[in-house]
Amino acid sequence: MEASDAALYATLLKEAPAGLAFFDGDLRFRRANDALAGLLGVPVRDLQKRRPAEVLPEGLALAFETALRKVLAEDRPLSDLDLVVPSAEAPGGGAVATALEERILACTWLPSRGAEGEPLGVVLTALDVTERRRAEEVIRRKEQRYRSLVEASAQVVWVAAPGGGVIDDAPEWRAITGQTPDDYAVGGWMSVVHPEDRPRIETIWRECVEENRVFETNYRVRTKTGTYRHFDVRAVPIWQGGAVIEWVGANTDVTGQREAEEMRGRLTEQLSAAALRTARLQQATSMLAEALTVSQVVQVITEVGRSAIGADYSAVALLDDDKLRLSIVAPSQPGVEGEVRPVVRDDIKVSDQTVMSVAVRESRPFLAEHPDSLRLQLGRDEKGLFAQHTEERAWVGLPLLAAGAPIGALRFSFTRPREITEEERVFLEALAGQCALAVERALLFEREHKTAEELQRSLLPSDLPQLPGMVLAARYNPATRHVQVGGDWYDVFRLPDDRLAVAVGDVMGKGVLAAAGMGRVRNALRALALNDPRPAAVLAGLDRLFSATEDEEQFTTVAYVVIDPETGHGAFSNAGHPPPLLISADTPARVSSLEPGTPLGWPSQRQQTSFSIETGNTVVFYSDGLVENRRRGVDAGLEELVAVAADAPPEVVGDPERLVDFLVDRMLAGYEQVDDVTVLALHVPPKPA
């Protein structure tokens, strides 16, 4: 070998970036360069005169020897063979050892011959193609994913000429539309667009083609079954050399998505309607909690029911005590001075063929969506209730059930045929249940109210004594407009010695219990006064009686005075009641500064003081409801009472009837009344000149 050849050989072995090796006929390494040793992860010295099986991993060694034998046996090159060098730790191990990543070698095996052509061995060239193969694999996987995505999607691809006309057949498109090749060649995809969508699509497509901009829209396409499906389309121009050479479009079937959106829209509407009905039912529950009378209940139910289902007419009917007739109660109408009064219509028999009668008899909802349905169920048109509303075309009757037994019925009607959905039916049944509970509570309240009102009428004086030298006037305002009974009371009566006994009291609470407690205190006071009229003695007797008979929680106050109507002089004692108001013609109005004492039943030594009403003066007794409420404390209320009395004109002060009205109106103006108000005025008019 010449020197230049030797230098070239040495340079190739040392400097070549590719791996080079020469194997003899026994498959042993005779020469190997550093590049190959680095690729294999084996030092060059370890390769010399060693077979692959002696220095390489088993799988790699087998691949080496198989290739070597094949080249030696067939005496021809073997190329395009990739071998994988598994990952391994660098020699030396330890904490500083560097892991060698798996490498891919593109190997070419060439037979080597001598000068006479005799076989000498095999020459190996190995190139590291790891990164290239990995890049190729990434590209291959992306292409595979893209192909799979296109095949799995509902997209149909088509191609159009630069001017928008047909350029190629679209078998996938025709499989959907049922067009023949000739049909598609003539009309293309545009010919199967829905007639209502076509003018819009033609305009958009033409503008996009003229301006070479992306065509993106949606339309309906007629399928081979004759039905229409929704497609989203996107077509883009393909450019080459500054000119559009074709258009490529992709249609996606979005029918399922559109149907799902429509279904979602319908469900949203239904959920919104259900939420609205639920809110109205909650509103009805809240409003019914404040409804005390049957007429108020009817007012709430009819308003909520009409607004919730759009009914034109409504009513509530209640069963009479004999359970044979229904008394029809329409919504309350405004009465005199804002009072609410029920409008009661003619009764109907439970045995009649009416919407409400059937609902009560069968204890189930009655639904008639149109007049024919009503005639079919009743055997004739309904008579009686709402007979004047001849335009009715649909009806709903609902029983009002309390403890499973009917107490009445609820009725709605419409001036047009109306189908009641299942959701509306559930709502109406819930509304009827709330109505039944409210009606039952209202009936109980009205019975209690009637009893309490009769009790109070029997306990409060029907009229006040008429005296020549003294004028009396009283007012009683209950805390609630509809509750005409409470614990406030007053009493004025003659004693055996012609003196006048005057008492004003307040029993904590409302209703029958408060009225009953008030009656016991009033009757006991009269009995004690007839035995010993002195105020201190009467209150001491009430203390003993109260401690023996009343609950510890009961809170009762009393102001009691005994007075000679001819002289205006007497005695006064107070058991925790607000101080009387003193109005004089020559001195400013004021409240008494005397110690009020403790309420009844609280241990104390009852005291009495002298009491007198001079000519032209007025004394006003009252309950705490006049001066105290949620926004005004007692002290502020007393100051305001004095100021109001000071503003009273002389003609009002001189007329007790007008004075009590003046004080009540002015003290309650601008405040919510939360307690009963009792006012009793004693006035001694000036003597004639």
Side-chain angles (χ1 to χ4, degrees):
M1 181 182 296
E2 296 182 1
S4 60
D5 292 337
L8 176 62
Y9 174 73
T11 301
L12 286 174
L13 286 179
K14 185 175 182 180
E15 302 296 338
L20 298 175
F22 173 71
F23 294 86
D24 60 20
D26 294 331
L27 311 184
R28 297 180 182 279
F29 283 97
R30 305 302 297 181
R31 293 285 187 274
N33 67 350
D34 291 340
L36 179 64
L39 293 174
L40 297 178
V42 180
V44 172
R45 63 178 180 275
D46 292 345
L47 295 176
Q48 299 298 331
K49 300 180 182 182
R50 309 282 288 275
R51 297 181 63 171
E54 296 174 345
V55 294
L56 300 179
E58 181 179 355
L60 182 61
L62 179 60
F64 262 69
E65 295 187 359
T66 300
L68 290 170
R69 288 191 179 96
K70 185 176 180 65
V71 173
L72 290 172
E74 299 179 359
D75 192 27
R76 61 184 180 85
L78 177 62
S79 59
D80 297 329
L81 177 63
D82 287 354
L83 296 182
V84 178
V85 180
S87 60
E89 288 189 356
V96 298
T98 303
L100 301 178
E101 297 181 354
E102 180 183 88
R103 312 300 296 175
I104 301 173
L105 306 182
C107 299
T108 300
W109 311 82
L110 303 171
S112 176
R113 299 179 183 85
E116 302 297 330
E118 72 278 12
L120 298 178
V122 178
V123 175
L124 166 66
T125 62
L127 294 174
D128 186 349
V129 294
T130 304
E131 299 303 326
R132 187 174 69 188
R133 291 292 188 266
R134 288 176 179 173
E136 291 172 350
E137 178 65 16
V138 170
I139 294 174
R140 186 188 65 79
R141 289 182 181 178
K142 287 183 177 180
E143 291 177 348
Q144 187 178 30
R145 283 197 295 268
Y146 175 75
R147 189 179 304 108
S148 301
L149 181 62
V150 171
E151 292 175 355
S153 69
Q155 288 188 332
V156 179
V157 179
W158 48 268
V159 180
V166 175
I167 190 174
D168 286 326
D169 188 18
E172 293 181 352
W173 177 261
R174 290 191 295 100
I176 295 173
T177 64
Q179 293 171 283
T180 65
D182 293 339
D183 292 336
Y184 185 78
V186 174
W189 57 269
M190 186 72 73
S191 62
V192 290
V193 174
H194 195 288
E196 295 178 359
D197 298 340
R198 192 175 304 164
R200 172 178 61 88
I201 299 304
E202 287 177 342
T203 301
I204 299 175
W205 175 236
R206 183 173 59 254
E207 292 174 351
C208 289
V209 169
E210 291 174 354
E211 300 173 9
N212 292 327
R213 56 183 173 85
V214 175
F215 172 69
E216 190 168 15
T217 184
N218 55 77
Y219 46 72
R220 290 166 290 175
V221 172
R222 187 186 67 245
T223 67
K224 59 185 177 182
T225 62
T227 60
Y228 284 89
R229 298 186 68 80
H230 293 270
F231 280 83
D232 282 350
V233 61
R234 178 180 174 85
V236 297
I238 305 300
W239 295 81
Q240 182 176 338
V244 174
I245 60 173
E246 64 181 10
W247 289 78
V248 176
N251 282 46
T252 305
D253 189 335
V254 294
T255 305
Q257 177 182 340
R258 291 296 180 87
E259 292 176 348
E261 290 174 354
E262 292 175 0
M263 176 63 73
R264 185 162 56 247
R266 289 194 294 270
L267 289 176
T268 300
E269 290 178 0
Q270 293 174 1
L271 290 174
S272 297
L276 181 59
R277 286 192 291 269
T278 301
R280 283 172 172 159
L281 189 61
Q282 293 174 341
Q283 178 190 21
T285 302
S286 176
M287 294 171 66
L288 287 172
E290 300 179 1
L292 298 176
T293 65
V294 173
S295 61
Q296 290 176 321
V297 171
V298 174
Q299 182 76 17
V300 171
I301 289 296
T302 53
E303 288 180 0
V304 173
R306 286 184 187 181
S307 62
I309 62 172
D312 298 295
Y313 304 108
S314 59
V316 173
L318 300 181
L319 274 173
D320 290 345
D321 293 338
D322 57 9
K323 307 297 183 183
L324 298 177
R325 302 184 69 84
L326 286 163
S327 299
I328 312 304
V329 182
S332 302
Q333 302 295 333
V336 179
E337 295 181 356
E339 291 294 328
V340 178
R341 299 180 179 179
V343 177
V344 181
R345 297 181 173 168
D346 294 337
D347 295 350
I348 60 174
K349 296 179 180 178
V350 174
S351 58
D352 287 345
Q353 285 297 92
T354 69
V355 170
M356 298 178 112
S357 299
V358 173
V360 169
R361 285 202 309 270
E362 301 182 9
S363 294
R364 65 170 180 83
F366 177 94
L367 305 176
E369 300 171 356
H370 46 73
D372 290 341
S373 175
L374 183 70
R375 284 190 290 270
L376 181 64
Q377 296 185 70
L378 299 183
R380 59 179 178 80
D381 288 331
E382 184 183 41
K383 304 295 182 184
L385 182 61
F386 291 129
Q388 69 272 31
H389 300 310
T390 56
E391 69 274 22
E392 290 180 344
R393 293 294 179 269
W395 300 262
V396 177
L398 299 145
L400 301 180
L401 304 176
I407 61 173
L410 177 61
R411 182 188 192 276
F412 295 103
S413 60
F414 307 83
T415 57
R416 64 196 182 286
R418 175 72 152 78
E419 179 182 357
I420 300 298
T421 65
E422 183 62 26
E423 292 80 5
E424 289 175 330
R425 175 173 175 153
V426 171
F427 166 77
L428 288 173
E429 289 182 3
L431 183 64
Q434 293 291 333
C435 180
L437 292 175
V439 166
E440 189 176 32
R441 185 181 66 247
L443 291 173
L444 179 62
F445 165 78
E446 289 182 350
R447 285 195 294 268
E448 178 181 335
H449 162 66
K450 183 178 180 181
T451 301
E453 192 173 22
E454 292 175 351
L455 174 61
Q456 187 172 22
R457 278 199 301 267
S458 67
L459 296 176
L460 293 178
S462 57
D463 51 32
L464 297 175
Q466 300 296 320
L467 305 172
M470 184 176 293
V471 182
L472 293 85
R475 289 292 180 272
Y476 174 74
N477 274 26
T480 304
R481 180 175 55 187
H482 304 288
V483 181
Q484 303 298 330
V485 63
D488 283 17
W489 58 281
Y490 62 90
D491 198 7
V492 181
F493 56 93
R494 287 274 196 172
L495 295 171
D497 57 4
D498 288 334
R499 286 186 298 169
L500 198 65
V502 179
V504 177
D506 185 2
V507 178
M508 182 181 64
K510 299 287 183 296
V512 174
L513 292 179
M518 174 259 288
R520 289 192 295 271
V521 173
R522 171 187 176 273
N523 292 337
L525 185 145
R526 281 202 172 201
L528 291 169
L530 292 175
N531 180 56
D532 184 350
R534 292 176 303 159
V538 169
L539 293 189
L542 288 177
D543 280 334
R544 293 190 297 272
L545 180 65
F546 202 90
S547 299
T549 61
E550 301 298 326
D551 295 334
E552 293 182 359
E553 296 81 7
Q554 186 62 275
F555 189 91
T556 301
T557 63
V558 177
Y560 175 60
V561 61
V562 175
I563 190 169
D564 185 343
E566 294 185 0
T567 64
H569 299 296
F572 170 71
S573 190
N574 190 352
H577 206 72
L581 173 68
L582 310 176
I583 303 177
S584 174
D586 17 357
T587 58
R590 67 189 188 283
V591 293
S592 173
S593 59
L594 297 175
E595 180 66 32
T598 60
L600 293 182
W602 291 38
S604 65
Q605 182 68 36
R606 295 299 176 188
Q607 304 292 330
Q608 70 181 40
T609 61
S610 59
F611 179 89
S612 65
I613 306 178
E614 303 298 332
T615 300
N617 293 353
T618 304
V619 176
V620 180
F621 298 94
Y622 52 91
S623 62
D624 58 358
L626 183 69
V627 294
E628 183 181 19
N629 54 49
R630 293 190 179 99
R631 295 166 46 201
R632 182 175 61 194
V634 175
D635 293 340
L638 292 175
E639 293 179 1
E640 189 170 343
L641 177 63
V642 171
V644 168
D647 288 342
E651 62 273 15
V652 171
V653 174
D655 185 347
E657 292 286 346
R658 296 175 62 184
L659 177 62
V660 293
D661 287 340
F662 179 84
L663 295 176
V664 171
D665 293 343
R666 292 284 295 272
M667 290 298 294
L668 298 184
Y671 296 102
E672 178 187 4
Q673 185 181 347
V674 296
D675 199 1
D676 300 339
V677 173
T678 300
V679 181
L680 175 64
L682 284 67
H683 174 67
V684 177
K687 298 185 182 300

